[in-house]
Amino acid sequence: MNNVVVNDITLYYDRLGTGEPLVLIHGLGERKEGWKYQHDLADHYDLIIPDLRGFGKSTLPDNKEISITSFAKDILSLLDKLNIKKAHICGLSMGGIIAQEIYKLNSSKVQSLILANSIFYVPKWLGNFIYKIKRKKIEQLTPEKHKMISTERCLFSKDIEMVEKVLPAWSDKRVCFIPAWKACLEIDYRTLLPTIDVPTLIILCKNDKICRPYNQKKMHKLIPNSQLVTIKKAGHVGKIEKPDEFNHAILHFLQSTYDQDQTTSAEFFMEVK
């Protein structure tokens, strides 16, 4: 594990493997350990896996904001600190939102985008409604109860073995959860997506009850020449439930996109047998 000071916070990150840089950005309430089952990608890429500010081991001074923009600026600053001019950016859920913001702030840093189980827009009325009815319920939960409820909601298969695989992915810090969640409910990238001109992969898990699949289908339509992968029998954390399919989707996308000896279709589906 490594750490670096960016924007007056200490950002902790793992760095594994060699090759082209591939940044993995975790979702809301998670920490970098949630990407454990993607470490095999280090056989092909230089993996950079940060704890976002206020999550995992990364710090957050009292006067520092929590916003999608601040998360994105931290990642961009991290790349600068590591002397990385361009990277593949992969984000799951809130991480996918942050990936879109990174592209918005500095598209020259983005070699490709991988947006997994993510969203691009929440109508203002809907965001306000969700925040109003759920905030108090979340605040009243103990950390242990919150982790268990989140785990069960994120899974298609709720057997004990799978639950035990997901639980370590959650951050023990909760102080930033509510403001980060609120930030996710305020996004609007409807005008950004049609302007994206880097290769983009969208990963959809068919049984995702957090970021419903219609969101990813709409993103696929809005982003020119994007590719869409559907992973069946997986919920919001398909990276843990179906890591082989999830990792294969990433490798297939990157290798077929950047290897001119191979070709790829605009859309392919992964069957889970």
Side-chain angles (χ1 to χ4, degrees):
M1 180 169 54
N2 310 281
N3 69 80
V4 64
V5 176
V6 297
N7 303 321
D8 297 323
I9 67 168
T10 302
L11 203 70
Y12 284 79
Y13 65 97
D14 291 331
R15 192 170 189 182
L16 311 166
T18 58
E20 294 183 347
L22 170 58
V23 181
L24 304 179
I25 308 173
H26 65 71
L28 175 64
E30 284 192 283
R31 56 182 180 169
K32 56 185 173 58
E33 284 76 12
W35 292 106
K36 172 182 176 181
Y37 299 98
Q38 280 62 58
H39 285 185
D40 286 348
L41 295 173
D43 293 340
H44 307 272
Y45 295 94
D46 174 11
L47 296 186
I48 299 161
I49 315 174
D51 276 332
L52 295 171
R53 60 165 58 195
F55 293 97
K57 292 187 178 299
S58 291
T59 63
L60 184 73
D62 291 339
N63 63 336
K64 293 300 176 181
E65 71 170 337
I66 285 289
S67 67
I68 301 303
T69 299
S70 63
F71 288 136
K73 286 182 176 178
D74 290 343
I75 301 298
L76 287 168
S77 295
L78 174 62
L79 293 177
D80 287 340
K81 288 277 188 175
L82 299 178
N83 295 314
I84 293 173
K85 294 183 178 180
K86 194 180 286 279
H88 303 288
I89 308 294
C90 172
L92 182 136
S93 191
M94 183 178 78
I97 296 173
I98 295 166
Q100 293 170 75
E101 184 69 13
I102 289 172
Y103 185 88
K104 178 182 177 181
L105 293 175
N106 192 347
S107 61
S108 67
K109 283 284 191 183
V110 181
Q111 187 166 351
S112 72
L113 284 170
I114 301 168
L115 309 174
N117 301 85
S118 195
I119 59 174
F120 67 99
Y121 169 61
V122 180
K124 187 174 181 179
W125 68 266
L126 180 59
N128 291 338
F129 176 74
I130 293 172
Y131 185 73
K132 182 178 179 180
I133 65 171
K134 291 189 175 182
R135 177 180 178 176
K136 287 186 178 180
K137 292 181 180 179
I138 294 172
E139 290 176 335
Q140 290 170 356
L141 294 173
T142 64
E144 293 74 19
K145 186 66 174 177
H146 191 203
K147 288 180 182 180
M148 184 58 69
I149 290 175
S150 298
T151 297
E152 291 175 348
R153 288 193 65 210
C154 285
L155 285 172
F156 169 72
S157 173
K158 295 178 175 59
D159 62 81
I160 188 62
E161 181 180 354
M162 189 57 65
V163 168
E164 290 177 350
K165 285 184 177 180
V166 174
L167 283 173
W170 302 114
S171 173
D172 291 326
K173 297 179 182 177
R174 294 188 66 203
V175 66
C176 298
F177 184 90
I178 293 294
W181 171 56
K182 186 174 187 295
C184 291
L185 297 174
E186 297 172 344
I187 62 166
D188 186 351
Y189 294 110
R190 288 176 294 174
T191 59
L192 174 71
L193 297 194
T195 71
I196 293 177
D197 63 358
V198 298
T200 302
L201 171 67
I202 298 164
I203 298 178
L204 175 163
C205 290
K206 193 170 183 180
N207 304 99
D208 187 349
K209 295 180 180 180
I210 307 297
C211 296
R212 302 282 181 170
Y214 65 80
N215 291 285
Q216 295 93 57
K217 291 178 180 178
K218 183 65 173 178
M219 294 169 78
H220 174 47
K221 290 182 179 179
L222 288 174
I223 301 175
N225 303 311
S226 60
Q227 298 178 36
L228 176 69
V229 167
T230 296
I231 300 178
K232 296 184 177 181
K233 296 184 180 179
H236 190 58
V237 286
K239 63 177 182 178
I240 298 176
E241 279 194 286
K242 301 293 180 182
D244 290 343
E245 288 86 348
F246 191 94
N247 296 350
H248 175 75
I250 292 174
L251 286 174
H252 182 279
F253 164 69
L254 292 177
Q255 293 176 353
S256 62
T257 300
Y258 293 96
D259 184 343
Q260 296 186 9
D261 293 331
Q262 300 184 46
T263 59
T264 184
S265 61
E267 182 172 359
F268 66 96
F269 291 87
M270 303 197 61
E271 296 280 354
V272 178
K273 299 180 179 180

